[in-house]
Amino acid sequence: MLHVLPVVLAAFPTLTCALHHATSALPAQLDAEDLQAVLDGLQRGGKGLIADEAYAFKEKDVWHPYELTSIGRKWGEYQASLARGISDGSGKKHLKVLVVSAVADTLRERQLLEDSVQRLAATSSGHDDIFQWALFHHDKTTENWDNSTLFTKTTGTGEKLVVFDRKGAGCKLQNWGALPEELTSKYDFIWMMDSDLRLDFFRWDLYRAVLTTLNPLVSQPSVLPPFGGGQSSAIKSLTIHSSCSDGFPVAMELPRTEVQAPVISTKIWPAIRTRIRNGPGTTDWFTDSFWDAIVQTAKDFNCGQVGPVMVNAAPVWHQSWKTLSKKGGGKCPPWKGAGANRRDISSEEYEAVKAALLSIGCQSNMSQTLFNFLFSEQAHEGQRLCRPGVSMCRKWIDGSAKGASPHTCFPQAPEFARTEFAKRGMVTADDTEHLLGGLQVGIYQGLPEKTKRLRPLSRMRQRMQRWQNATERLG
């Protein structure tokens, strides 16, 4: 059962349980009806957001640039507004990110990656963040990649764009484990990105605003399904969440992450690499359980850390090509070696975890037995990090986007969520504050509730719904 509390009451700052922030509320760029239409389209893989849908459906198994509709373009404008509002309180540091991807020798994957490079550059202006790529060609051939401009392009600082390029069969963890330590140590984050993820509805400036403000050790974007339907993420809570009566959830702590597109701090990467290299490498199952356990330990032991975070407002678009598992070069069925990947934590791995935590100033006194228990619970049960009695998790809400849905993001209440600590983004009395620009923060337990898609409402019904929500709060 879900246990949560509505502490997102920015519309009524005079109430005793309302939140007070140093920054003002974010300006609404989309009215409730438009935002609902956008989110409905995103949940259906871009339906109504792409100009030529018949062509997009016919050619969905190849890569093509898409022109967005006017409502589709409004989503990008809304994201840019969110990024500006959040970045006022974020770090100004230039980030260096290593993007890691295993690619097939196909034109569509080359074109998708080239497009991703351009989109990251276009939405990171003003920060001078550096993105470099590590590529694994699992087909053993590179015919479609030989003439790619990726290998001649440089970053804004004149460095190579592709810094690691390996040809040969290998599964995801075998590839990750092959990354040299002298390479990964040069970066702030490693972004493990599947080769079938488009960035048409993603903005880096918004993602990095969350990244530099909350400083999560592990984060990930929400995931959209392919156009015309199909799998977004096998984990329901990792797909994009719609608006609720409280507003739009921009980011949230999660009960788990996955291996499709995680952004991992290099501060904990050495511990993850140790775990990977000690295993069979044939499946990536339960690897996310290991880094989730590290992140949760840093959160539980008052090290000023948040749990795993999903940036809901910056989704990636899954094309579900699955070339690594389907094609002969990969030979990576997800079940192969899964049991060994759920093995107990070894002493070597535990020491690597302690060293990683110490590198962020976290002197955890969790024993190897307790850490192994946390990992085992996460590996066997999957989504336990926000479970009542285990931990409380946060959602950061754009309160200016109220009224798109009658459902609240916070239908029930753990007692602590009523405190002044919770209203400052703290999950214990001695936690540090975790606020995100002008966004409102609320606490939930269990699985993050997803609101259902609704039929488009008339503007009059939208206004009536907003009025009803307001009177219920005042009452």
Side-chain angles (χ1 to χ4, degrees):
M1 180 179 290
L2 192 70
H3 302 278
V4 286
L5 171 71
V7 295
V8 284
L9 303 174
F12 305 99
T14 58
L15 297 180
T16 57
C17 58
L19 301 181
H20 302 276
H21 298 303
T23 55
S24 60
L26 297 172
Q29 297 296 309
L30 288 173
D31 63 26
E33 189 173 5
D34 284 344
L35 181 58
Q36 180 181 311
V38 169
L39 294 171
D40 183 71
L42 291 173
Q43 289 176 328
R44 293 190 291 166
K47 187 72 173 175
L49 308 179
I50 298 173
D52 191 343
E53 293 191 348
Y55 178 76
F57 183 78
K58 179 182 177 182
E59 302 292 333
K60 65 180 181 178
D61 290 328
V62 297
W63 185 91
H64 286 288
Y66 294 134
E67 180 183 351
L68 300 182
T69 61
S70 59
I71 191 68
R73 291 191 295 272
K74 285 184 178 181
W75 171 247
E77 295 167 3
Y78 176 63
Q79 289 176 302
S81 175
L82 285 173
R84 289 191 297 270
I86 297 172
S87 63
D88 289 342
S90 68
K92 304 300 181 182
K93 175 186 175 184
H94 303 317
L95 299 180
K96 195 169 184 180
V97 181
L98 179 66
V99 190
V100 180
S101 190
V103 295
D105 189 17
T106 62
L107 181 61
R108 68 179 182 182
E109 293 203 11
R110 192 198 88 186
Q111 291 172 323
L112 189 155
L113 196 148
E114 290 172 342
D115 181 69
S116 296
V117 168
Q118 293 179 5
R119 290 182 183 276
L120 289 173
T123 60
S124 62
S125 59
H127 299 293
D128 296 325
D129 294 336
I130 296 173
F131 298 92
Q132 293 178 295
W133 295 74
L135 301 180
F136 293 88
H137 302 271
H138 57 77
D139 284 343
K140 305 180 185 178
T141 63
T142 57
E143 181 180 345
N144 285 286
W145 292 84
D146 288 342
N147 295 323
S148 174
T149 57
L150 294 172
F151 300 100
T152 57
K153 280 186 175 181
T154 60
T155 66
T157 58
E159 300 174 87
K160 287 183 177 180
L161 193 66
V162 177
V163 293
F164 187 89
D165 192 43
R166 178 174 173 176
K167 183 165 61 177
C171 300
K172 188 176 287 187
L173 290 197
Q174 292 168 339
N175 294 336
W176 293 0
L179 292 169
E181 182 178 1
E182 58 269 22
L183 174 65
T184 58
S185 62
K186 297 176 182 179
Y187 298 89
D188 299 298
F189 295 96
I190 305 175
W191 191 356
M192 305 299 189
M193 186 185 295
D194 281 4
S195 63
D196 58 355
L197 297 174
R198 293 183 64 135
L199 302 183
D200 299 56
F201 301 107
F202 176 91
R203 280 191 69 102
W204 174 254
D205 52 359
L206 174 55
Y207 196 99
R208 71 100 64 194
V210 176
L211 199 63
T212 56
T213 304
L214 297 179
N215 298 306
L217 296 172
V218 173
S219 63
Q220 70 161 83
S222 58
V223 187
L224 307 177
F227 185 82
Q231 179 178 298
S232 52
S233 168
I235 313 303
K236 291 183 178 180
S237 60
L238 302 183
T239 60
I240 191 168
H241 290 239
S242 189
S243 285
C244 51
S245 60
D246 311 288
F248 175 63
V250 175
M252 61 185 71
E253 288 181 304
L254 294 169
R256 66 160 295 175
T257 57
E258 65 165 354
V259 295
Q260 192 171 187
V263 179
I264 301 171
S265 168
T266 53
K267 294 176 181 177
I268 65 170
W269 176 247
I272 298 170
R273 184 183 60 240
T274 298
R275 175 74 177 179
I276 288 173
R277 290 183 172 180
N278 286 347
T282 50
T283 179
D284 49 31
W285 283 9
F286 312 119
T287 307
D288 43 27
S289 300
F290 182 74
W291 66 54
D292 285 346
I294 297 175
V295 176
Q296 190 65 27
T297 301
K299 176 183 175 181
D300 288 345
F301 281 83
N302 301 318
C303 300
Q305 296 292 323
V306 296
V309 168
M310 181 176 76
V311 185
N312 188 52
V316 292
W317 192 7
H318 190 207
Q319 304 303 293
S320 199
W321 292 337
K322 300 183 182 293
T323 51
L324 186 59
S325 59
K326 286 182 178 179
K327 298 188 70 174
K331 295 182 180 179
C332 300
W335 48 263
K336 192 175 182 180
N341 231 24
R342 200 161 55 178
R343 67 194 183 278
D344 285 348
I345 306 299
S346 69
S347 297
E348 178 191 14
E349 293 160 358
Y350 173 66
E351 291 301 321
V353 169
K354 287 203 304 181
L357 293 174
L358 192 60
S359 72
I360 61 170
C362 183
Q363 299 188 23
S364 167
N365 59 359
M366 177 178 279
S367 67
Q368 181 175 341
T369 300
L370 286 177
F371 182 79
N372 187 72
F373 176 77
L374 176 60
F375 163 74
S376 180
E377 287 277 289
Q378 184 71 352
H380 284 80
E381 297 185 25
Q383 306 185 63
R384 73 178 301 276
L385 298 186
C386 303
R387 192 173 65 186
V390 176
S391 185
M392 292 181 284
C393 291
R394 289 160 279 222
K395 291 182 182 181
W396 290 269
I397 308 289
D398 175 14
S400 70
K402 291 181 173 66
S405 167
H407 307 289
T408 177
C409 287
F410 307 98
Q412 299 182 50
E415 188 62 30
F416 180 84
R418 303 180 186 275
T419 66
E420 291 299 319
F421 300 109
K423 298 171 190 177
R424 301 200 301 270
M426 303 164 66
V427 292
T428 63
D430 52 359
D431 189 15
T432 54
E433 291 187 356
H434 293 289
L435 300 177
L436 195 53
L439 300 180
Q440 314 305 302
V441 61
I443 287 177
Y444 78 94
Q445 287 187 312
L447 297 180
E449 182 159 308
K450 288 178 63 64
T451 55
K452 297 179 180 179
R453 294 200 306 264
L454 302 175
R455 292 180 180 178
L457 301 176
S458 68
R459 293 187 182 275
M460 179 60 72
R461 289 180 63 195
Q462 290 284 352
R463 287 193 288 269
M464 291 177 65
Q465 183 66 65
R466 288 194 290 268
W467 179 84
Q468 181 180 354
N469 292 340
T471 55
E472 287 176 354
R473 289 192 180 95
L474 287 172

